[in-house]
Amino acid sequence: MGRRRKFNPDIPGHIDQRALPAGIYWDMGRWYILVDQPEGRPKKKTVASPLAKLSDLHALVEEALTGVERGTLQHMADAFKKSTEYRDLKPGTRKGYDTQAETACGWILRDGSTLGQLQVRRFTVPTIQRLVETIAAGREASGQQPAVPATPSKANHVLRYLRRLFSWGIRHGYCKENPCKGVREAKEVGAFKMPAPEAQEAVLAFARVCAARKAHTRGSLSPYMPAVMVLAYAVRLRGIEVNTLTDAHITKEGIISNRTKGSIDNLTEWNQDLRDAVTWLQAYRAERMAEKERPVPIRAEDRELLVTESGTPLTKSALDSAWQRLIRAAIKEGVITKEQRFSLHGLKHRGITDSEDEADGGHRTLAMRQRYRHGLDRVKPAQRP
């Protein structure tokens, strides 16, 4: 702890000497800190004048220790990451917020500084709006600013993160208003990489061949990928929804969906592809858990269908990585072209498009149903009555 400071009559009277932070000193009418030198004794560095407030001195010491100035966007973002509100979020949400925080705080301004170094009190609606529009439209390299590709979806993700960050900051005294209120989101392109039927079938056949190979040998891929593709398409599920399926979703009549983002759950009746996929996943899980001597959960909702080679539940990030390996391998082997590449979520689009009723995807609104419906409706010609 070090020895307690002695009262110094030369220190300005408006400073409570008992509350002075460690690491800052007064001498010759100035406040200074000690900066370590590679060789020799530490060097004195003046950081404030006699007019500095006690809060300014605390901020200066914190900046010297952490490299982050108090009251900046970066400071508020770091504080939010240490909060209970952040810790209560789902891992996927935290990961997304970390990415958006890095994008927002690392955004380079014209003078070469970053947005994270800007004081939060200087943020306005036009400031946030310009940021969103620049990320959405992209920019060319100029001066100290690097080129940025056009990414409307990323712009909206950053806006939603900042909106939540400033709302949290208001509640905890880091800022007085939310400059994100009133900011217009960027218009996102509504096109999706839905696979053509022949590309989907080719990748599925390729996945089955690779899954049948011995693990960790040349050309082998994750053995559960064929079943994942069948479930994503036939039950019209997102990747995270496939990842979180359990035995509780398996019934005699079919598979009960576990839809996210407010979609409506439904039951998809069995067909042979679905029965084969679920039977294989359950058998693989039993085999891996038995080999690793892992206990089988009693409750059906605790028995997840997708497991790793060691018998533990498969994470969403591991599923995403496995999917990317499959698609890259399919392109390398000439199974599909780069132009035919599609995402795991694209299988849901394909499934809803191939369904008789577009409501089978569980979407509540007509707008969302049409967003996933890519086929053309067959209609009759107009005719006078």
Side-chain angles (χ1 to χ4, degrees):
M1 293 295 293
R3 65 182 182 179
R4 182 175 300 178
R5 289 177 184 265
K6 293 183 179 180
F7 180 79
N8 186 347
D10 294 333
I11 292 179
H14 66 278
I15 297 295
D16 182 0
Q17 298 186 30
R18 296 171 299 178
L20 278 171
I24 194 163
Y25 308 95
W26 173 265
D27 185 38
M28 302 292 289
R30 54 146 186 180
W31 292 103
Y32 70 90
I33 60 174
L34 296 176
V35 180
D36 292 332
Q37 301 299 311
E39 297 179 0
R41 301 175 61 182
K43 184 178 180 181
K44 294 180 180 180
K45 178 183 178 182
T46 301
V47 293
S49 70
L51 300 179
K53 299 177 182 179
L54 182 62
S55 58
D56 297 330
L57 301 180
H58 277 274
L60 289 167
V61 171
E62 183 174 351
E63 180 183 0
L65 293 175
T66 65
V68 177
E69 183 180 352
R70 192 178 185 87
T72 60
L73 181 67
Q74 184 68 66
H75 178 260
M76 185 166 68
D78 292 343
F80 174 62
K81 194 170 180 178
K82 297 176 183 177
S83 68
T84 55
E85 182 174 330
Y86 175 88
R87 292 198 299 268
D88 290 341
L89 298 173
K90 293 182 178 180
T93 304
R94 292 200 300 267
K95 182 179 179 181
Y97 279 173
D98 291 346
T99 301
Q100 311 319 324
E102 184 178 348
T103 300
C105 294
W107 185 259
I108 299 177
L109 305 176
R110 290 182 181 179
D111 60 359
S113 63
T114 63
L115 197 66
Q117 295 173 288
L118 192 64
Q119 290 286 324
V120 294
R121 65 175 180 272
R122 295 181 57 188
F123 279 82
T124 62
V125 173
T127 303
I128 304 296
Q129 189 69 66
R130 284 195 299 270
L131 173 66
V132 171
E133 292 180 0
T134 304
I135 297 176
R139 72 180 180 196
E140 297 181 356
S142 175
Q144 301 185 60
Q145 294 179 301
V148 175
T151 49
S153 177
K154 184 178 183 179
N156 290 334
H157 282 301
V158 170
L159 174 59
R160 293 170 195 136
Y161 164 74
L162 290 175
R163 186 180 293 134
R164 180 162 194 169
L165 176 64
F166 276 96
S167 295
W168 176 87
I170 291 173
R171 294 193 297 272
H172 292 82
Y174 287 87
C175 56
K176 294 183 179 180
E177 56 186 18
N178 191 337
C180 297
K181 289 185 176 180
V183 175
R184 186 167 180 252
E185 291 192 0
K187 184 177 181 181
E188 298 183 31
V189 180
F192 293 90
K193 293 292 289 184
M194 182 182 70
E198 57 272 16
Q200 176 186 351
E201 291 301 323
V203 173
L204 179 57
F206 177 70
R208 284 171 173 159
V209 171
C210 296
R213 294 169 181 160
K214 187 177 180 181
H216 307 298
T217 60
R218 185 179 180 85
S220 65
L221 290 171
S222 302
Y224 48 76
M225 288 312 300
V228 167
M229 290 187 66
V230 170
L231 288 168
Y233 169 73
V235 192
R236 298 156 288 244
L237 297 176
R238 298 179 176 89
I240 186 62
E241 295 165 352
V242 177
N243 184 239
T244 53
L245 283 176
T246 67
D247 281 355
H249 297 103
I250 310 304
T251 69
K252 292 182 179 180
E253 294 78 17
I255 300 177
I256 300 174
S257 64
N258 56 333
R259 305 195 189 280
T260 58
K261 296 189 176 181
S263 297
I264 302 172
D265 284 329
N266 52 20
L267 185 143
T268 301
E269 297 178 351
W270 291 111
N271 64 16
Q272 193 58 48
D273 286 342
L274 280 177
R275 288 190 182 278
D276 291 344
V278 171
T279 300
W280 187 93
L281 288 174
Q282 290 176 329
Y284 179 76
R285 181 186 61 192
E287 172 194 331
R288 303 317 305 161
M289 295 184 73
E291 181 174 328
K292 299 299 181 179
E293 298 182 349
R294 295 188 178 278
V296 178
I298 297 176
R299 300 193 308 171
E301 54 267 31
D302 294 333
R303 299 194 297 270
E304 299 188 20
L305 283 181
L306 293 180
V307 297
T308 64
E309 188 178 356
S310 60
T312 58
L314 188 73
T315 63
K316 178 58 167 58
S317 61
L319 176 60
D320 292 340
S321 298
W323 174 261
Q324 293 302 326
R325 287 195 298 271
L326 169 62
I327 293 299
R328 284 196 297 267
I331 294 174
K332 183 178 180 181
E333 296 296 326
V335 176
I336 57 173
T337 64
K338 289 184 178 180
E339 291 72 23
Q340 291 177 306
R341 182 177 190 144
F342 60 93
S343 65
L344 180 58
H345 191 65
L347 291 174
K348 178 176 181 177
H349 283 265
R350 180 81 262 171
I352 293 176
T353 300
D354 291 349
S355 302
E356 293 183 3
D357 188 348
E358 59 189 25
D360 291 346
H363 297 108
R364 294 179 181 271
T365 65
L366 178 61
M368 285 304 298
R369 294 172 191 170
Q370 292 174 341
R371 188 181 183 88
Y372 280 79
R373 187 76 173 183
H374 300 271
L376 294 176
D377 293 330
R378 185 185 294 271
V379 297
K380 294 183 178 179
Q383 180 177 315
R384 289 185 179 277

